[in-house]
Amino acid sequence: QEFKVDFGVSTSDRDAPIEVSANALSVDQATGKAIFDGDVEITQGNMRLTAALVNVVYDEAGNKIAQLLASGGVNIESGKDSAEADTAEYDVESGVIRMAGNVALLQQGTRITAGKMDVNLNDNTAAFHGRVRTVLQPGNN
Amino acid sequence: APAEQVVLLADSVFLRGNSILTATGNVEAISGETVLTASKIVYNSVTDQITITGPITVTDGGVVEIFADFAELDSALQNGLLTSARLVLDQQVELQADSIQRIDGTVSELNSVQVTSCNTCAEGESPLWYIRAKKVTHYSEDKELLLEEAQLRILDVPVFYLPRMRLPDPTQDRATGFLIPSIKQRSRIGLAAKIPYFIAFGDHRDLTLTPYLSRSMTTLEARYRQAFRTGEITLNGAVTDDNFSGFNSRGYLFAEGEFALKRDYTLSFDAKFTSDQAYLLDYDYGAFDRLNSELALTRASRDENTRFAFNHFRSLRTTEDNETIPTLVLSAQTQNRIQPAFGGEVLWELEFHSHTRESQITTDANADGIIDGRDVHRLNAEVGWRDSWWTQGGFNFGVESHLAFDVVNTAQDATITTTNYTEVTPSVAANMRYPLQRMTASGAQQVIEPVAQLAWSGGATRDGATSDAIANDESSRTEFDEGNLLSLSRFASDDRRERGVSLAYGLKMSHFGETWNAGLSFGHIIREADQDSFSVSSGLTGRASDLLVAGQMTHDNGLSITGRMLLDEQISLTKAEASGGWHNDRLGVNASYVWLGQDAEENRPDILAEWNLDSSYRMTRHWTGLANWRFDVADNRTTEAGVGLEYRNECVKAQLAVSRRFTSSTSVQPVTDLSFTVELLGFSAKTRDKSYSRSCNDAAY
Amino acid sequence: CGFTPAYGPDSAANRVLSQIAVDEIKTSDGFHLVRQLEHRLGRSAAPKFGLSVALTTREEGVAVTSDNQTTRVEIFGDATFALRQLSDNAVLLSGKTRSFTGYSTTGVTTSELASERDARERLMVILADQIATQLIARAGELPE
């Protein structure tokens, strides 16, 4: 059993296009942020992020997404892993996802719940903090 | 074991993107009943191995606790190695080892181990006693410890060495093996050792064999117990070969048992045999001077009390010949209560009794005052009705009426002419009770209760004066106390009855307070005619009985005294008995006093008075003093005396006791007993009294 | 001097003690103890209270002569009783009482047998009377 948290975003996928769909979209000219509101769904490669509200931050050039700030109950799924939390920040540039609030990671029989989870997609490592509870189903790998 | 789910709790968890999961900070791992705490755990899911860094504690449902610095276990926490570890069993026995190999979560193999149940305070201080062993295996399912190359050290001095040794773990309550040996020194037996060995045959049967060896005798004691679905039996016995008794082999056997039968009947038996008169006393197997073997079928409930019994007696007294005392007794008795529609209570009774003596001699050839060969058989039937009422004024008035029909046959007694007689005894009585009550200023309740009973019984008094005398094998030792003040016939048995008119009256005063209760009662009987067969010390002779005075006092501080005495017309003592006790957490004293006046009829040529004291005093947390003393006041001599000292802490219990019995007769010599036992605590499921444990902070060692 | 009839017209004993059912004890001692308790407290047709008694006895040899003959045996009886309300089994009142009776063992064997049985019966009468008296004295502690 691998403890790899890759959310299906392998290095090659990281440049895959990010599609976003939502009920409503509004753009804040001043900050350059776009706010997707209501059943927001973001996919990149075979990773799918759903949330109630997502702020999308573009890079200075304004044509690539730099950050996704999701809140109101976030769920990230990909292949055999799934994670949920109250909020999630996906920094596309650095390949780091920070999830906070009732974090729960389900991975092939292992279930980890914690206060905070930081996932580094580059080296597929994850760090959990707060009273972390891990339920292992040994021997089924 | 099936792949048990493992739950890990920690302050933080890191996944390294491979098969390693690292948990740090107050880590807790729970798998089935096993709970493990540590500072850091690394779980490798490929090798299914958990590496744990200490301080580690592992507990599995409370009995086994392991403390270690480092460990590698499988993920189910069942198999693996813990290093520089301590295994604690049921918070009593501690095993320190370089390493512990856990196998399947039930077996722990410890290497270079120190086993003890003694507390140690300073680091590195060696315990009072400990067992050093090369290897110890603990089987938690069999509740057993197997020690290899074990050496017992007391005060760090090696005492004995055993290549292999098995010990029960603290939760073991039944396992085959040696019990605690003891050393005894007893007069004529000399210094002797007892080494009991317990053999369990499954859960329902066991045998304990105890070699009891000294220079002047060899004895094998045995106890066999068996439990059945509806009953149990216990056999205790011993066989002895000694060089001082003159018998080439001696022994005893006590067998008792009880079985629940259908329709609420209980069958019980209690058989006693011994090879010679002095054996039981010489070897301290019981102070019986008469062996009463009994087989009984009984049934008792609210309204019925039925008993069929066969008794066989064998006297060990030098003053008695088994030929001329009643040795075979057959009795069958049933008492039944009925609540008739018209009120009150009807009691009917049927009794058959027969006792026989082996001797056929019809006279008192051995001049012990009793016909040598007399046999008595009797049949008694009785029916009675009683009722009582409360008047408005709080006055209780009761009436009683009885009709008894006795058929008695006395055989082989030249002095008795009417060998068969029947007797009808009607009796009627009226009784009165008037309890008065008040509350004292301090809130205590006091009750004063006068009682009185006027009774008449018919039938012929057979005292040899008016009509032929009757044998008296059963009611020759009648007693008078508050228990039979108001009974219609105070004879111990229905082989004779009180007759004529009698008035019994008394007063009972009681005090029930916050911290102490007390009671004082008086009783007296005046009757129309003197009754036959009452002895002087029964207090019931003559037309006016002795005055009965009885008192009792119990106090919250643990003191309680009960006493009773009979005063004759000259207000001098006929009989007095008292028993008291004082029990609190440090002191336990039981004392009794008896004073019995001269009474030729009870073959007591002179006054017999005796003090008896039995006490234990817990001087300090660990030291307890024991003392008992029986003093013959009339002869101003000590009958028995003993002192003992007991040291007890959490891991050892040692007792030294010396006692001497000064009495002697043709068959019994004075005996001095000295016994010394040391017990290493913690190796069997005895109840642990934590109040004896040493604690590091106080100096009360 | 303040004494009033314990079973007077409006007394607690009168109201309460006639409604007691004594629990059965299936031994010979129990037969005699329960019988005496029912004689003193009455056998109620519609009981409101249940009286249970836990009884233990032990025998001890006394008056040992110089030639080691135990000439008397004392039977000690300890009774712990509890009065409960039958509706909810709540214990309303409990107490302890103790006494002893003696019998001589210098008579022939059949005299010792009969004396022991008589001593046990007398002990049960004494214990029952003490329990009844304590209930009378403390009847005021019971609810209506």
Side-chain angles (χ1 to χ4, degrees), chain B residues 342-345 385-401 429-435, chain C residues 7 14 38-42:
Chain B
F342 51 85
E345 172 200 84
W385 173 80
R386 64 177 304 287
D387 201 352
S388 66
W389 302 271
W390 288 99
T391 66
Q392 270 302 336
F395 190 88
N396 180 273
F397 182 73
V399 287
E400 230 178 296
S401 64
N431 60 64
M432 167 299 272
R433 197 180 282 275
Y434 187 47
Chain C
Y7 274 79
N14 216 345
E38 287 186 347
H39 289 172
R40 290 296 309 278
L41 301 171

Side-chain angles (χ1 to χ4, degrees), chain A residues 48-126:
Chain A
R48 195 168 73 87
L49 186 151
T50 56
L53 182 105
V54 173
N55 284 326
V56 177
V57 175
Y58 292 88
D59 60 7
E60 287 75 19
N63 52 17
K64 259 165 72 31
I65 295 177
Q67 265 190 336
L68 295 173
L69 307 171
S71 60
V74 179
N75 189 303
I76 302 176
E77 277 160 24
S78 75
K80 41 189 172 30
D81 301 348
S82 84
E84 56 190 34
D86 295 346
T87 63
E89 274 171 31
Y90 176 21
D91 187 327
V92 183
E93 204 49 49
S94 63
V96 169
I97 302 177
R98 271 186 209 79
M99 302 182 79
N102 300 318
V103 175
L105 169 73
L106 188 59
Q107 188 184 55
Q108 221 190 11
T110 303
R111 181 172 155 67
I112 303 177
T113 55
K116 259 171 4 101
M117 173 171 85
D118 301 344
V119 178
N120 184 326
L121 300 176
N122 307 322
D123 57 8
N124 298 321
T125 60

Side-chain angles (χ1 to χ4, degrees), chain B residues 90-105:
Chain B
D90 201 26
Q91 285 130 22
Q92 290 185 46
V93 176
E94 189 176 294
L95 300 90
Q96 277 172 352
D98 289 352
S99 67
I100 299 180
Q101 184 75 30
R102 284 283 282 176
I103 301 156
D104 296 339

Side-chain angles (χ1 to χ4, degrees), chain B residues 264 290 302 317 326 337 339 345 435 437-438 449 473 477 479 481 552 560 564 577 610 637 663-664, chain C residues 1 4 6 22 24 35 38 43 64 66 69 72 74 98 100 105-107 109-110 112 122 137:
Chain B
D264 261 351
R290 277 173 170 166
R302 176 193 306 276
R317 297 182 186 178
R337 298 169 63 197
Q339 310 303 316
E345 172 200 84
Q437 179 178 4
R438 76 173 176 190
E449 185 180 51
D473 278 341
R477 298 293 187 276
E479 299 282 333
D481 56 32
Q552 184 178 47
S560 86
R564 183 177 297 123
E577 277 174 299
E610 176 190 276
R637 268 189 327 88
T663 57
S664 66
Chain C
C1 53
T4 59
V22 183
E24 179 179 54
R35 179 170 185 246
E38 287 186 347
R43 185 157 167 161
V64 177
S66 58
Q69 277 238 303
R72 189 172 184 78
E74 285 172 347
R98 149 189 304 181
F100 71 92
T105 59
T106 56
T109 50
T110 37
E112 185 176 330
R122 295 197 318 271

Side-chain angles (χ1 to χ4, degrees), chain B residues 357 360-376 409-421 462-465 467-473 496:
Chain B
R357 295 174 165 85
Q360 309 300 324
I361 302 166
T362 63
T363 60
D364 180 11
N366 61 9
D368 64 357
I370 300 168
I371 300 296
D372 291 1
R374 175 166 61 216
D375 302 337
V376 178
N409 164 280
T410 314
Q412 292 172 192
D413 180 342
T415 64
I416 300 286
T417 48
T418 47
T419 53
N420 289 305
Y421 73 88
R462 296 167 180 275
D463 55 6
S467 65
D468 304 341
I470 51 177
N472 188 3
D473 278 341
R496 56 195 353 89

Side-chain angles (χ1 to χ4, degrees), chain B residues 56-104:
Chain B
I56 301 171
T57 68
V58 180
T59 56
D60 70 347
V63 170
V64 176
E65 285 169 302
I66 302 175
F67 305 89
D69 291 350
F70 182 78
E72 282 197 351
L73 299 171
D74 65 10
S75 62
L77 308 177
Q78 298 307 305
N79 299 284
L81 186 74
L82 302 97
T83 55
S84 65
R86 251 176 342 113
L87 178 75
V88 178
L89 298 173
D90 201 26
Q91 285 130 22
Q92 290 185 46
V93 176
E94 189 176 294
L95 300 90
Q96 277 172 352
D98 289 352
S99 67
I100 299 180
Q101 184 75 30
R102 284 283 282 176
I103 301 156
D104 296 339

